[in-house]
């Protein structure tokens, strides 16, 4: 029957993503300033010896890979939720200015606190980023009531992003010199310098958000058909909307807090996953988006740190080069499929 | 009268804080079709949106199956009521089966996985709307009319006891309009569902409804059976028709007659004159029609389209008064047409009129 073929396709696609992710992780482990052969890698993984290579692997590469996996998945998932929420295929945390809002508040907090010699914990960073994300989200929500067109909403989001980035640059210019290097690196987006402590925090937050999303996949699926229909089959649309706003903000805030703003993953990956899976059902797409986002970001990070080694590219430059064409493709396809106007009630 | 399955008690509806229509009492029993009609913007959709709780009530309450809807959970309502509204549904990579299956939401488990019974219900609903062959098609790639049928299947497989439909026939061609109404009849008939819907097409409303509710801007103007509502005069009044008229027997609209002194006289009857009446009306030529018995089908149309109609009492030969009136009128016209191919004992006078026109030289071939 048709359906069984479909289920086979889904599990094959998910298995493919998992294998891809594992392969990329191994590749990432081997490649870099110090290159490892498979045998060396195996030895270092099984019995870390405390030598330089072991430290590179355990203190630098593995944390970086784990962070890229967690944050890449989170980013792509938040993009999927935003696209569902706004019924807008080109919505994402970066283009709607949510990442930039998070960046702004985090920068402000860092400058204020670091200037006084107070260290900021991972939780503090996430909290600040969440506040910033909610701020941008609030503006976007206000605008979305007035702006009916999908592309206009995205333009507004991009503008909010610019405003937030401009203010960030402005305050960074007036910050103490000692903080700037750190802040500058971070605000460009990078996975370097991840600590195991930070990873524990991000793993906790992101997995909690992921589980919540997965549990909400049934109402999210109903919501994809439109708010009125969702309500008519018994979805509490008000509560679902709030849940979606909070979840997307938490996810993109966590990413921004640890790795800075990262562009285009949130839009590109969910679309690639929809094409791969041949469906937009949240029950299947939520795990697929997470795996796909993790693999995509892992690949981008590999390019970012090895292409012009020892100089490292900002992760956003790589994700933009790979992700933006996908977005253009999506927009062209949207126009071609002949979008219909809203029917009035 | 049957026990109502849904009724409204002093319901007031509107947007924001502004009350549009106050003190609405609508009742619909199972197996009954209640139709809202009225001009554009009269508030039909507002009433339906308020019933399904898309809009908050401004006052009063709605009672569904014996309990007030204000206290019911979304899931409880969803198991009794399904809707088909005008809101556009956009999907990505969803098959028609997927969209229709959304109606099973209240019955599936936490992750919404369809069981055997759910699949059967979806397929049954799809076959009821004649859309089984669309099941595996992409919902975003089918026509508006097909989409409407899939959405109706979605509402049906929700196994509702009441269906609320806002202008379900828009975007459908005549064949699919008829099919859709047949499905609604079946829902009300065999499945004993209560139906409440709004319609633009009066001729359909007249044929399908058990009760018609006339919505008019700030109040419910009338509630009654189609026979009470669909009269020429009332429909003209409800819709404020100033140009043209509504023919209740045919359920159709006629444009306004070309006014002025008749230039053309048509001797017709038995349906033979209608095509010519319409042609002259389109060209804007004022004409007179005669002599028509008042039970003649030509009479009903001529009354709307002719500048002057000369009528005779039914079932009787044309009386002398009518004949003389027609003669006088015919003599003032430049052209006379006779659409009749034969004459009988009742309309002998029309034969004499035709012969006279021939003598006058004003008779033309139709």
């Amino acid at each position: 029957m048709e359906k069984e073929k479909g289920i086979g396709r889904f599990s094959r696609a998910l298995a493919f993503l998992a294998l891809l992710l594992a392969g990329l992780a191994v590749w990432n482990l081997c490649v870099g300033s110090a290159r490892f052969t498979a045998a060396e890698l195996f030895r270092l993984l099984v019995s870390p010896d405390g030598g330089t290579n072991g430290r590179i692997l355990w203190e630098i590469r593995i944390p970086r890979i784990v962070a890229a996996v967690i944050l890449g998945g989170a980013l792509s998932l938040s993009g999927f939720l935003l696209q569902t929420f706004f019924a807008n295929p080109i919505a994402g945390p970066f283009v709607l200015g949510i990442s930039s809002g998070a960046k702004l508040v985090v920068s402000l907090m860092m400058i204020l606190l670091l200037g006084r010699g107070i260290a900021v914990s991972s939780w503090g960073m996430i909290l600040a980023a969440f506040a910033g994300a909610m701020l941008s989200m609030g503006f976007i929500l206000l605008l979305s009531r007035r702006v009916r067109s999908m592309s206009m909403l995205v333009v507004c989001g991009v503008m909010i992003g610019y405003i937030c980035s401009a203010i960030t640059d402005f305050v960074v210019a007036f910050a103490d010199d000692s903080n700037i290097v750190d802040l500058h690196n971070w605000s460009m987006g990078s996975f370097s310098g991840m600590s195991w402590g930070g990873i524990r925090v991000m793993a906790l937050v992101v997995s909690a958000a992921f589980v919540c999303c997965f549990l909400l996949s049934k109402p999210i699926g109903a919501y994809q058909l439109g708010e009125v229909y969702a309500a008519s089959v018994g979805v509490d649309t008000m509560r679902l909307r709030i849940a979606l706003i909070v979840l997307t903000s938490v996810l993109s805030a966590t990413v921004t807090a640890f790795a800075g703003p990262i562009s285009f993953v949130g839009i590109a990956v969910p679309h690639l996953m929809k094409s791969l899976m041949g469906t937009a059902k949240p029950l299947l797409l939520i795990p697929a988006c997470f795996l796909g986002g993790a693999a995509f970001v892992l690949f981008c990070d590999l390019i970012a740190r090895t292409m012009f080694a020892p100089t490292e590219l900002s992760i956003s430059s790589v994700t933009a080069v790979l992700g933006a064409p996908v977005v253009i493709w999506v927009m062209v396809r949207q126009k071609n499929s002949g979008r219909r106007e809203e029917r009035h009630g | 009268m049957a026990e109502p399955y849904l009724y409204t008690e002093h319901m007031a509806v509107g947007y924001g804080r502004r009350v549009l229509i106050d003190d609405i009492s609508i009742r619909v029993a199972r197996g009954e079709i209640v139709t809202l009609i009225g001009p554009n913007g009269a508030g039909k959709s507002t009433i339906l949106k308020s019933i399904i709780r898309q809009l908050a009530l401004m006052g009063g309450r709605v009672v569904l199956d014996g309990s007030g809807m204000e206290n019911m959970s979304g899931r409880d309502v969803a198991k009794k009521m399904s809707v088909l509204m005008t809101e556009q549904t956009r999907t990505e990579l969803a098959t028609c089966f997927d969209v229709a299956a959304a109606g099973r939401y209240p019955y599936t488990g936490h992750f919404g996985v369809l069981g055997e019974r759910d699949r059967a219900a979806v397929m049954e609903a799809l076959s009821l709307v004649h859309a089984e062959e669309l099941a595996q098609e992409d919902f975003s790639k089918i026509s508006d009319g097909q989409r409407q049928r899939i959405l109706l299947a979605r509402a049906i497989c929700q196994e509702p006891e009441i269906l609320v439909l806002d202008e379900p026939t828009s975007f459908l061609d005549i064949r699919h309009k008829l099919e859709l109404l047949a499905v609604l009849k079946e829902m009300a008939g065999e499945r004993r569902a209560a139906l409440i819907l709004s319609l633009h097409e009066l001729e359909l409303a007249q044929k399908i409804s058990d009760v018609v509710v006339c919505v008019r801007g700030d109040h419910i103007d009338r509630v009654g059976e189609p026979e009470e509502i669909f009269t020429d005069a009332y429909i003209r009044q409800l819709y404020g028709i100033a140009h043209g008229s509504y023919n209740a027997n045919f359920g159709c609209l006629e444009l306004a007659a070309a006014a002025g002194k008749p230039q053309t006289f048509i001797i017709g009857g038995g349906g033979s004159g209608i095509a010519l009446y319409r042609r002259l009306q389109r060209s804007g030529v004022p004409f007179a029609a005669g002599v028509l018995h008042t039970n003649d089908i030509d009479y009903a149309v001529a009354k709307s389209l002719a500048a002057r109609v000369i009528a005779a009492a039914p079932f009787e030969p044309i009386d002398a008064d009518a004949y003389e009136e027609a003669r006088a009128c015919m003599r003032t016209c430049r052209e006379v047409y006779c659409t009749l191919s034969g004459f009988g004992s009742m309309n002998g006078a029309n034969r004499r009129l035709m012969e006279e026109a021939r003598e006058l030289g004003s008779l033309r071939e139709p």
Side-chain angles (χ1 to χ4, degrees), chain A residues 55-72 122 125 186 189-200 202 254-260 262 297 301 315:
Chain A
R55 286 230 304 284
I56 287 179
L57 195 66
W58 282 99
E59 303 293 317
I60 298 176
R61 280 204 198 151
I62 294 181
R64 185 172 181 146
I65 289 167
V66 174
V69 166
I70 294 173
L71 299 181
S122 300
M125 295 276 277
W186 169 82
S190 168
F191 286 110
S192 62
M194 291 291 169
S195 71
W196 280 109
I199 286 180
R200 262 193 294 279
M202 71 176 84
T254 310
V255 176
T256 310
F258 286 102
I262 298 173
V297 169
D301 191 41
I315 182 75

Side-chain angles (χ1 to χ4, degrees), chain A residues 215 218 229 274 340 343, chain B residues 88 92 105 108 147 171:
Chain A
L215 291 177
K218 182 181 172 186
Y229 289 119
K274 280 174 200 165
R340 285 151 291 111
R343 278 159 68 180
Chain B
Q88 182 71 258
E92 257 184 302
Y105 189 96
T108 54
R147 221 169 272 145
F171 293 100

Side-chain angles (χ1 to χ4, degrees), chain A residues 40 95 106 118 191 213-214 219 281 330 332 345:
Chain A
E40 259 180 300
V95 290
V106 171
I118 308 168
F191 286 110
C213 291
F214 196 69
K281 278 184 195 139
V330 168
V332 169

Side-chain angles (χ1 to χ4, degrees), chain B residues 6 21 33 51 60 69 176 188 195 230 246 291 296 302 357 362:
Chain B
L6 175 140
I21 314 175
I33 298 179
I51 288 176
M69 276 180 73
H176 290 120
L195 269 77
F230 290 98
Y246 174 79
V291 175
D296 195 297
S362 56

Side-chain angles (χ1 to χ4, degrees), chain B residues 48 90 136 143-144 152 200 278 317 337:
Chain B
L48 295 181
R90 280 208 196 93
Q136 296 305 322
S143 73
D144 280 329
L152 180 63
H200 265 312
R278 293 205 193 285
Y337 292 96

Side-chain angles (χ1 to χ4, degrees), chain B residues 5-272:
Chain B
Y5 184 73
L6 175 140
Y7 62 95
T8 64
E9 266 179 4
H10 310 294
M11 181 173 78
V13 302
Y15 288 96
R17 293 228 180 84
R18 211 162 64 86
V19 174
L20 246 104
I21 314 175
D22 202 354
D23 203 16
I24 303 167
S25 294
I26 295 176
R27 42 206 299 134
V28 51
R30 297 193 66 168
E32 196 176 57
I33 298 179
V34 172
T35 309
L36 308 187
I37 63 165
N40 281 338
K44 303 186 291 289
S45 291
T46 313
I47 291 176
L48 295 181
K49 284 176 186 168
S50 303
I51 288 176
I52 68 163
R53 306 200 293 191
Q54 187 184 338
L55 290 174
L57 294 186
M58 305 273 118
R61 65 202 284 257
V62 181
V63 179
L64 173 65
D65 199 13
S67 37
M69 276 180 73
E70 66 277 6
N71 300 323
M72 293 173 78
S73 74
R75 194 183 166 93
D76 286 347
V77 172
K79 283 189 172 175
K80 296 176 190 292
M81 176 192 276
S82 71
V83 309
L84 177 59
M85 306 303 275
T86 52
E87 193 200 33
Q88 182 71 258
T89 299
R90 280 208 196 93
T91 59
E92 257 184 302
L93 296 169
T95 63
C96 293
F97 182 91
D98 292 338
V99 173
R104 299 302 298 170
Y105 189 96
Y107 305 99
T108 54
H110 191 89
F111 286 104
V113 178
L114 298 176
E116 240 358 271
R117 215 187 95 55
D118 298 311
R119 289 182 179 287
V122 176
M123 283 319 288
E124 192 196 333
L126 283 173
S127 85
L128 193 63
V129 300
H130 310 290
E132 299 138 296
E133 74 283 357
L134 294 175
Q136 296 305 322
E137 300 283 319
D138 187 329
F139 184 76
S140 63
K141 297 198 173 110
I142 58 177
S143 73
D144 280 329
Q146 291 172 325
R147 221 169 272 145
Q148 191 76 343
R149 276 148 65 203
I150 300 298
L151 289 174
L152 180 63
R154 189 199 56 89
I156 289 172
C157 74
Q158 203 176 324
E159 295 176 356
E161 276 150 8
I162 179 164
L163 262 158
V164 180
L165 310 102
D166 194 6
E167 285 167 26
T169 50
S170 31
F171 293 100
L172 299 183
D173 61 26
I174 46 171
R175 176 188 144 202
H176 290 120
K177 270 183 189 157
L178 285 173
E179 282 182 6
L180 181 119
L181 295 182
V183 172
L184 297 187
K185 272 280 181 208
E186 190 172 334
M187 288 300 292
E190 279 169 39
R191 306 200 181 193
R192 306 296 302 157
L195 269 77
I196 175 161
L197 64 152
S198 67
L199 278 180
H200 265 312
E201 297 91 339
L202 297 179
E203 75 278 16
L204 299 180
Q206 185 179 13
K207 281 153 200 158
I208 192 178
S209 317
D210 295 305
V211 175
V212 179
V213 177
C214 306
V215 186
R216 195 177 186 189
D218 53 354
H219 64 288
I220 301 289
D221 207 46
R222 264 192 206 184
V223 178
E225 291 178 12
E227 293 69 31
E228 303 167 51
I229 303 294
F230 290 98
T231 64
D232 302 6
Y234 180 66
I235 293 297
R236 275 187 75 130
Q237 182 205 330
L238 176 65
Y239 283 86
I241 299 173
H243 304 284
S245 59
Y246 174 79
N247 186 318
N249 289 333
F250 302 154
C252 73
L253 294 166
E254 296 290 1
L255 294 170
K261 191 181 146 318
Q263 300 168 11
T264 304
F265 192 94
I266 302 168
I267 305 166
S272 66

Side-chain angles (χ1 to χ4, degrees), chain A residues 261-277:
Chain A
I262 298 173
S263 57
F264 292 107
V265 177
I267 310 178
V269 176
H271 281 288
L272 293 173
M273 291 307 115
K274 280 174 200 165
S275 301
L276 177 74
M277 304 283 282

